[in-house]
Amino acid sequence: MFYSTEEFSICMTMEYRILGKTREKISIIGLGTWQFGDAWGVKDYNVAKSIIEKAVELGVNFIDTAAVYGRGLSEEFIGKALKELNVRDEVFIATKLPGDFLSYEDVFRATEKCLKRLQVDVIDLMQVHWPPAWHNFPTYEYMRALEKLVDLGKIRYIGVSNFPVEMLESARNCLSKVDIVSNQIRYNVIERDAEKELIPYAEKNNITVLAWSPLAKGAVTGKYTPDNLPEFTDVRRTDPIFHPDNFKEVYRVVEVIKEVAEKYNKTPAQVSLNWLITSSRVVVPIPGAKRPEQVEDNVGAAGWRLSYEDWRRIEEASRNLRITRVVW
Ligand SMILES: NC(=O)c1ccc[n+]([C@@H]2O[C@H](COP(=O)([O-])OP(=O)(O)OC[C@H]3O[C@@H](n4cnc5c(N)ncnc54)[C@H](OP(=O)(O)O)[C@@H]3O)[C@@H](O)[C@H]2O)c1
């Protein structure tokens, strides 16, 4: 362990980190719920409910969703489950507005729909899912709408997702009373571009980095090999990580992760997630799960730390990966 204990508090095995510059304690392992919908295939409400129930039982208090996940289905499942389980107050709900819903009026309209689907009076964290790439909404337009929603008590905090540093700075400059608390970006032991610019900026400015695809969509869990790739019926169909040429490279890192996992009596998924939280004090991975057992496994990434030597071993193995996105 090479972070001082002041940097995190430990409650049983779950640990909590402070969200941005707030006083909110969020679990160091969150729950991603893109899985609820067509993209990943969890369409049975009871399965979704069992995943949420297991997560809350194990101390996960941060649930990430988005208006686009299953076109509202993920939010609906979460709203219904939290109500039935009577745990709304134990959970910090983070959702997102797509880059297409960012005109001033649409921010209000879309937020009202999220509130309804989630069956809540207030959303804890509203994130801009991606910048409005081709719509040309000025940043100040949607940031002012979001700040107004904070004023009116409909959302508590504002976050962004997939924002480069320049846009994040510009978004922060458009806010007059509150600050951006988080940037949700892809970060896993294979895809580490966030380390170049985004994570240092977040560390300097106390902004939480919510790491999406922290398991590289399952690629680093050890269950897939170059001869046993996932069935391409879900979002992985077009993901370059699983292209056979790339996956051969990825698997060299997975083999190191597997060796380290054996040494600690942990699973490769736990080591992969632990590597992320050990790498930076502002990172909070939000792995997705298709079954409660996967939640249980992922939560086991908290409450311990890789040694410096083992962290380095994985770092070195992944640093010079030769993977390309130019696969067609
Ligand atoms: N902001 C954004 O633009 C953005 C983009 C992507 C995702 N996200 C968020 O980030 C969350 C996580 O990312 P993700 O879903 O792309 O990928 P991920 O968390 O890296 O991988 C999730 C997949 O890995 C497998 N898995 C999970 N836990 C496992 C375990 N312990 N052992 C073995 N396999 C396991 C499951 O699929 P199989 O069992 O089928 O292998 C699961 O669907 C999403 O749910 C979403 O909330 C946000």
Side-chain angles (χ1 to χ4, degrees), residues 35 64 161-162 213 215 223-224 236 288 290 294 297-298:
Q35 277 58 29
D64 178 73
S161 177
N162 304 312
S213 291
L215 294 170
K223 67 182 176 187
Y224 300 118
R236 292 177 282 205
K290 288 163 74 179
Q294 290 184 341
D297 189 22
N298 296 337

Side-chain angles (χ1 to χ4, degrees), residues 37-100:
D38 280 324
W40 284 92
V42 178
K43 288 185 276 185
D44 178 339
Y45 167 69
N46 289 316
V47 175
K49 184 180 172 185
S50 67
I51 289 169
I52 293 167
E53 186 170 22
K54 179 57 74 183
V56 175
E57 180 193 317
L58 297 176
V60 173
N61 73 350
F62 187 90
I63 299 186
D64 178 73
T65 182
V68 295
Y69 295 166
R71 286 175 83 94
L73 188 76
S74 173
E75 290 181 327
E76 273 170 28
F77 279 1
I78 292 167
K80 191 169 176 211
L82 295 182
K83 199 150 230 179
E84 285 179 8
L85 296 165
N86 198 21
V87 292
R88 163 63 185 113
D89 293 342
E90 290 170 42
V91 170
F92 197 93
I93 302 176
T95 191
K96 313 184 197 82
L97 298 182
D100 311 83

Side-chain angles (χ1 to χ4, degrees), residues 29 40 55 65 88 92 107 116 140 192 195 200 233 262 301 321:
I29 301 293
W40 284 92
T65 182
R88 163 63 185 113
F92 197 93
V107 169
K116 203 164 170 205
Y140 84 88
R192 296 173 49 194
E195 290 173 4
T233 51
E262 212 160 290
L321 268 182

Side-chain angles (χ1 to χ4, degrees), residues 31-35 40 64-65 69 96 127 129-130 161-162 184-185 188 211-219 221 223-224 230 234-236 267 269-270 286-291 293-295 297-298:
L31 176 69
T33 64
W34 185 20
Q35 277 58 29
W40 284 92
D64 178 73
T65 182
Y69 295 166
K96 313 184 197 82
Q127 305 157 98
H129 205 152
W130 60 83
S161 177
N162 304 312
Q184 186 177 138
I185 49 183
N188 60 60
W212 65 255
S213 291
L215 294 170
K217 297 193 173 74
T221 60
K223 67 182 176 187
Y224 300 118
D234 57 31
V235 282
R236 292 177 282 205
T267 65
Q270 290 169 341
I286 49 167
K290 288 163 74 179
R291 294 189 302 280
E293 296 77 20
Q294 290 184 341
V295 175
D297 189 22
N298 296 337

